[in-house]
Amino acid sequence: MEKMLSLIVPVYNEEEVLNVSFEKMDAEMKKIGYPYEIIYINDGSRDGSMKILRAIAKDNPQVKVRSFSRNFGHQTAVTCGMDAARGDALIIIDVDLQDPPEVIADMVKAWENGADIAYGKRLKRKGETVFKKFTAFMYYRVLKSMSASAIPLDTGDFRLIDRKVADVFLRMREHNRFLRGMSGWMGFEAVPIEYVRNERYAGKTKYTLKKMLRLASDGIVGFSDRPLTLCGEFGTGLLVLDFLGLIALIVLACLKVPFPAWLWALVGMVALNGITLLFMSLQGMYLNRMYDELKARPLYIVAEELNMEK
Ligand code: UDP
Ligand code: MG
């Protein structure tokens, strides 16, 4: 049977871009040549987006639309699109044409050559503030240094995933979702496709600073236990320093060098603080394990089987 592609496009207050965006993406998908569906997730838009989507869907049976009752956020919208997709490969793309639709063809080629994931890697970001570029640059590096999962640098959600990767996503129902981290955690054969990120076609970013901070913390909290155990290292450092201080005081006392008596109290207080921090990190370890169990991710992911009885 011929393979099919699903394009997943989250939409939040995008009336200025929707029509042009659909035309460009639809033309690109036609050019690629596989049967396809375009799934729009209206993430609780309060502008005319839904009206435009209704009009597009009326004339184009390949277009499917799911509309949320309110704004649930970009990552949830994309997940909903994955749930609905029926394709053999799923492509996740922003509606604002910042992810150039021409790159989809390269992703599909990588997929035909056996890639399970073909992810867009940004060489450059056009038309974004220095603040956004700098914070994004730093963020990906901090996250990488803190996380055990292979989360590629400078990579957003623009990517193609094979059906078998999508099926694993469907099994991961954690609420605080950071899709690029989940994808890195899964493994599979991931191929970077380099591209230059365009300016937004029209309108303003829908990722407010608050939403961005939320996503950033979902990435760190979901994919690193460092924040929970960091205090243990502080505690250990504090105890080591405190121990040195204690030795110094004992030496001074033996040599009968005068020093204020409250220094003994200080040494005692610092020791107690260090111990408290150590026990906090111990609790952190239990918390982390509970969080892990609650996420209920699959224990393992099989990518291929040979001679296995079903
Ligand atoms: N989006 C969404 N829900 C939100 C915020 C954004 O579905 O709460 C969509 C938005 O319509 C776009 C994509 O997610 O298709 C990326 O958003 P945006 O372009 O505003 O983010 P930026 O590119 O500025 O990071
Ligand atoms: Mg954008």
Side-chain angles (χ1 to χ4, degrees):
M1 217 173 62
E2 200 175 4
K3 297 217 163 158
M4 175 183 163
L5 302 178
S6 302
L7 197 64
I8 296 170
V9 195
V11 176
Y12 181 49
N13 295 341
E14 303 278 13
E15 60 186 3
E16 295 112 314
V17 303
L18 256 173
N19 278 316
V20 177
S21 170
F22 166 68
E23 271 162 36
K24 291 228 157 103
M25 290 184 191
D26 195 57
E28 199 57 44
M29 294 308 284
K30 279 210 174 74
K31 234 168 43 196
I32 292 172
Y34 288 96
Y36 65 94
E37 60 183 359
I38 303 183
I39 304 175
Y40 287 102
I41 312 303
N42 173 29
D43 184 12
S45 298
R46 284 181 298 263
D47 66 352
S49 296
M50 196 52 206
K51 212 171 132 202
I52 300 175
L53 286 175
R54 279 194 200 101
I56 296 176
K58 200 161 154 252
D59 302 330
N60 299 280
Q62 76 277 28
V63 169
K64 295 167 187 177
V65 180
R66 269 185 162 178
S67 183
F68 283 170
S69 56
R70 64 165 169 85
N71 181 247
F72 280 88
H74 169 243
Q75 302 280 301
T76 309
V78 170
T79 304
C80 170
M82 287 188 197
D83 289 343
R86 291 181 330 176
D88 300 283
L90 279 53
I91 301 132
I92 296 149
I93 189 167
D94 286 355
V95 72
D96 59 3
L97 298 173
Q98 282 199 282
D99 307 329
E102 310 85 74
V103 178
I104 299 174
D106 300 334
M107 293 181 168
V108 171
K109 250 184 228 113
W111 175 62
E112 286 167 342
N113 290 331
D116 297 317
I117 301 173
Y119 61 92
K121 189 169 164 60
R122 302 185 276 249
L123 286 177
K124 239 205 210 143
R125 306 168 75 122
K126 284 201 222 155
E128 282 181 302
T129 58
V130 177
F131 173 76
K132 177 141 184 178
K133 283 187 201 166
F134 177 73
T135 47
F137 180 88
M138 289 305 296
Y139 177 70
Y140 286 111
R141 279 145 190 92
V142 169
L143 180 63
K144 193 184 169 90
S145 73
M146 288 174 74
S147 172
S149 308
I151 302 174
L153 293 172
D154 306 319
T155 298
D157 291 318
F158 181 32
R159 63 186 59 217
L160 175 150
I161 62 177
D162 183 71
R163 166 52 55 191
K164 69 178 174 220
V165 179
D167 284 343
V168 180
F169 261 115
L170 300 192
R171 284 165 61 201
M172 294 169 75
R173 303 311 287 186
E174 57 208 69
H175 279 220
N176 299 293
R177 299 176 83 75
F178 184 65
L179 299 173
R180 54 201 91 155
M182 291 159 72
S183 172
W185 178 86
M186 281 178 204
F188 288 110
E189 182 151 344
V191 176
I193 308 285
E194 293 184 335
Y195 76 103
V196 174
R197 191 156 165 88
N198 285 332
E199 275 173 63
R200 199 172 226 290
Y201 175 75
K204 279 208 286 283
T205 177
K206 303 302 173 314
Y207 254 98
T208 52
L209 190 61
K210 198 170 138 204
K211 279 190 172 153
M212 221 143 76
L213 288 174
R214 166 100 214 165
L215 182 69
S217 73
D218 281 346
I220 294 200
V221 176
F223 292 88
S224 166
D225 57 1
R226 292 283 291 145
L228 275 177
T229 51
L230 202 62
C231 60
E233 281 150 45
F234 274 117
T236 314
L238 218 53
L239 282 175
V240 169
L241 283 179
D242 195 52
F243 186 65
L244 294 178
L246 179 67
I247 299 206
L249 286 193
I250 292 175
V251 171
L252 288 181
C254 291
L255 295 177
K256 301 224 169 6
V257 180
F259 60 85
W262 54 261
L263 281 178
W264 291 114
L266 184 70
V267 164
M269 257 159 50
V270 172
L272 282 178
N273 275 313
I275 291 168
T276 310
L277 284 176
L278 271 186
F279 274 94
M280 275 174 69
S281 82
L282 201 66
Q283 289 182 353
M285 286 180 203
Y286 284 92
L287 247 157
N288 185 39
R289 277 164 181 68
M290 283 202 270
Y291 182 41
D292 231 27
E293 299 293 341
L294 278 176
K295 276 188 279 195
R297 291 191 188 153
L299 209 50
Y300 53 80
I301 301 160
V302 177
E304 193 178 340
E305 286 186 335
L306 298 172
N307 292 345
M308 288 291 300
E309 311 277 328
K310 271 275 145 65

